[in-house]
């Protein structure tokens, strides 16, 4: 990919963040992103604290729930629950955890305002086709609160960003939950801010998680432009966590496929060999030996691609299944136990276990300007909402 000055590059800016004043109580104030919360999860976080971010980020109630959320946010600001930074800053966000293989890992990224660009304009790229979402929930909430609450996760193709983020900033807070340590640090030094902004702006940013949020930001930006006639408002950027696309800093899990019936077409492109019920060891063998797994209520099959069957198909399990089955109904489930349970409990007729996409394949696809099938990747751990709020 060319690096000449005419190539679009994303703008990445610091901003004066809203943060919780009581940093000692962050564990009861922050929450996972709205789109991974079940009703039971939401009950839990709403009950943790009257100021938990879910009261604003996932409002319950009637048609006025967004206006209530906006009023709640304003009350928190007026009452000192949330305080604004005195100057624009970046926020370093470190996630430390042990991955599925038992190896210690740390991801470091930076929270800032990433430029909202038009679809196809370059600079900020989707990495997979998205499934349509009819709900306008995020757009209505953004309009009412005039704030970015949950960050988009962007992967920078700029080499050296991780090294630039290695040095600690001013500690703001730390939370340990489900074995993951979340640590946030503020950076206000102008030289370091300039260096980070330049590094992110040196190459494309690939949207890893939050395609829908980014798309909503584009609609909101256009509404603000139409209402104000300006192109210099905070709506021109959106809250984004940007980390470098490097293998040792990413934990990519597979999102398995659930189908409403058992398709005979599997045998057109795969050799089916009966095997034992899948275990975590099976997932490891799939990666080393290159097979998929078909799970049904009474049998399990190893799926080995027939030589030549995918000659002109990209070497992605999701693409292989699309090629084999075409546009059949499919739903998505991450987690081995959860996927098997869906079949065991009759919520799906069968499941296909697929392998995680490699970081090298993610980058290659991006560099070639292509899109992966929907739900190709599941990036873990999930970022927390509430460490930083970006006013609009």
């Amino acid at each position: 990919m060319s690096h000449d000055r005419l190539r679009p590059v994303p703008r990445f800016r610091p901003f004066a963040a809203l943060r919780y004043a009581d940093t000692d109580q962050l564990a009861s104030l922050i929450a996972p992103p709205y789109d991974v919360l079940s009703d039971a999860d939401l009950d839990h976080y709403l009950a943790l604290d009257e100021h938990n971010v879910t009261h604003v980020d996932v409002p319950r109630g009637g048609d006025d729930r967004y206006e209530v959320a906006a009023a709640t946010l304003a009350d928190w600001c007026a009452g000192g629950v949330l305080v604004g930074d005195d100057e624009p800053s970046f926020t370093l966000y470190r996630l430390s955890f042990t991955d599925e293989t038992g190896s210690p890992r740390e991801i470091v990224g930076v929270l800032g305002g990433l430029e909202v660009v038009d679809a196809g304009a370059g600079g900020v790229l989707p990495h997979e086709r998205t499934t349509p979402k009819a709900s306008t929930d995020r757009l209505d909430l953004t309009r009412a609160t005039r704030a970015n609450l949950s960050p988009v996760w962007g992967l920078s193709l700029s080499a050296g960003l991780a090294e630039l983020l290695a040095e600690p900033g001013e500690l703001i807070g730390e939370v340990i939950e489900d074995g993951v340590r979340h640590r946030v640090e503020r950076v206000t030094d102008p030289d370091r801010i300039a260096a980070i902004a330049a590094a992110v702006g040196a190459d494309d940013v690939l949207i890893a998680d939050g395609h829908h949020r980014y798309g909503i930001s584009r609609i909101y930006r256009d509404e603000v432009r139409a209402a104000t006639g300006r192109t210099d408002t905070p709506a021109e950027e959106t809250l984004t966590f940007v980390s470098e696309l490097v293998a040792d800093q990413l934990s990519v899990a597979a999102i398995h496929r659930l189908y409403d019936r058992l398709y005979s077409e599997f045998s057109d492109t795969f050799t089916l060999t009966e095997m034992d019920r899948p275990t975590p060891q099976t997932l490891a063998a799939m990666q080393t030996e290159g097979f998929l797994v078909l799970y049904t209520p009474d049998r399990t099959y190893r799926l080995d691609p027939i030589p030549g069957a995918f000659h002109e198909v990209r070497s992605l399990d999701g693409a292989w299944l699309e090629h084999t089955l075409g546009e059949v109904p499919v739903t998505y489930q991450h987690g081995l136990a959860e996927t098997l349970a869906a079949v065991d409990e009759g919520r799906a007729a069968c499941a296909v276990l697929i392998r995680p996409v490699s970081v090298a394949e993610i980058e290659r696809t991006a560099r070639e300007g292509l899109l992966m099938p929907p739900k190709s990747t599941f990036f873990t751990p999930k970022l927390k909402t509430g460490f930083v709020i970006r006013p609009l």
Side-chain angles (χ1 to χ4, degrees):
M1 186 172 289
S2 170
H3 287 261
D4 60 68
R5 288 184 297 174
L6 296 179
R7 188 179 63 81
V9 291
R11 183 174 62 246
F12 191 61
R13 288 181 170 171
F15 61 91
L18 281 175
R19 307 177 192 271
Y20 279 107
D22 192 352
T23 56
D24 291 336
Q25 299 301 316
L26 281 174
S28 64
L29 299 172
I30 64 171
Y34 72 96
D35 53 355
V36 302
L37 293 174
S38 66
D39 285 341
D41 293 334
L42 184 54
D43 289 340
H44 167 75
Y45 285 102
L46 289 171
L48 270 182
D49 193 288
E50 64 178 330
H51 299 127
N52 186 276
V53 71
T54 51
H55 289 278
V56 171
D57 191 42
V58 201
R60 282 176 167 167
D63 292 341
D64 66 342
R65 63 189 181 276
Y66 303 112
E67 287 70 28
V68 171
T72 300
L73 181 62
D75 287 345
W76 291 357
C77 293
V81 175
L82 293 170
V83 293
D85 282 353
D86 293 332
E87 57 187 324
S89 65
F90 281 137
T91 300
L92 306 184
Y93 186 162
R94 305 179 194 277
L95 301 101
S96 303
F97 60 102
T98 301
D99 68 16
E100 290 182 335
T101 70
S103 301
R105 302 281 287 273
E106 179 173 277
I107 299 170
V108 57
V110 55
L111 289 161
L114 182 67
E115 181 179 5
V116 177
V117 303
D118 293 332
V124 180
L125 311 174
H127 93 281
E128 62 185 23
R129 301 197 310 277
T130 54
T131 52
K133 292 189 178 182
S135 172
T136 61
D137 170 71
R138 289 297 104 181
L139 180 57
D140 290 337
L141 185 64
T142 304
R143 287 168 174 159
T145 61
R146 296 186 178 183
N148 293 145
L149 298 162
S150 292
V152 174
W153 186 335
L155 299 173
S156 174
L157 302 185
S158 177
L161 178 62
E163 183 179 352
L164 192 59
L165 303 179
E167 180 186 341
E170 173 197 354
L171 179 62
I172 295 297
E174 182 176 297
V175 170
I176 298 176
E177 185 173 314
D178 297 330
V180 181
R181 185 181 74 176
H182 302 257
R183 179 184 175 95
V184 288
E185 303 156 4
R186 178 165 45 204
V187 172
T188 56
D189 176 70
D191 291 339
R192 192 171 188 198
I193 284 177
I196 292 171
V200 174
D203 209 336
D204 295 323
V205 172
L206 190 65
I207 299 176
D209 198 4
H211 291 82
H212 184 60
R213 262 162 276 173
Y214 192 83
I216 290 301
S217 295
R218 188 180 291 135
I219 297 171
Y220 182 76
R221 178 207 64 182
D222 290 347
E223 290 180 352
V224 172
R225 285 181 176 180
T228 65
R230 295 170 54 189
T231 58
D232 61 349
T233 72
E236 297 293 320
E237 294 90 32
T238 194
L239 178 62
T240 305
F241 169 89
V242 180
S243 61
E244 186 178 344
L245 180 60
V246 286
D248 64 353
Q249 285 219 14
L250 278 184
S251 179
V252 185
I255 306 182
H256 307 301
R257 272 48 177 166
L258 300 174
Y259 297 101
D260 61 355
R261 66 182 179 88
L262 183 60
Y263 291 90
S264 62
E265 286 87 347
F266 283 121
S267 61
D268 293 342
T269 53
F270 295 97
T271 300
L272 280 67
T273 307
E274 196 162 344
M275 62 181 292
D276 292 335
R277 180 184 175 91
T279 67
Q281 289 71 34
T282 306
L283 300 180
M286 288 167 59
Q287 294 192 60
T288 56
E289 300 175 33
F291 65 92
L292 285 64
V293 171
L294 172 62
Y295 181 74
T296 75
D298 51 2
R299 286 185 174 84
T300 302
Y301 299 94
R302 171 175 170 145
L303 299 181
D304 286 286
I306 295 172
F310 302 111
H311 175 64
E312 295 184 354
V313 182
R314 198 168 195 85
S315 186
L316 294 169
D317 293 358
W320 286 358
L321 292 172
E322 285 188 343
H323 176 76
T324 299
L325 301 177
E327 295 183 3
V328 300
V330 58
T331 55
Y332 306 92
Q333 178 64 60
H334 59 84
L336 174 62
E338 295 84 352
T339 303
L340 301 186
V343 176
D344 294 341
E345 296 167 6
R347 290 180 280 117
C350 66
V352 176
L353 306 181
I354 68 174
R355 298 165 294 170
V357 179
S358 71
V359 170
E361 186 62 36
I362 293 171
E363 179 169 5
R364 186 167 77 97
T365 303
R367 293 292 191 190
E368 294 179 7
L370 301 175
L371 295 176
M372 294 184 179
K375 305 294 184 181
S376 289
T377 52
F378 185 73
F379 294 91
T380 60
K382 291 297 181 182
L383 305 171
K384 296 294 188 185
T385 295
F387 279 128
V388 170
I389 294 174
R390 181 173 178 269
L392 293 169

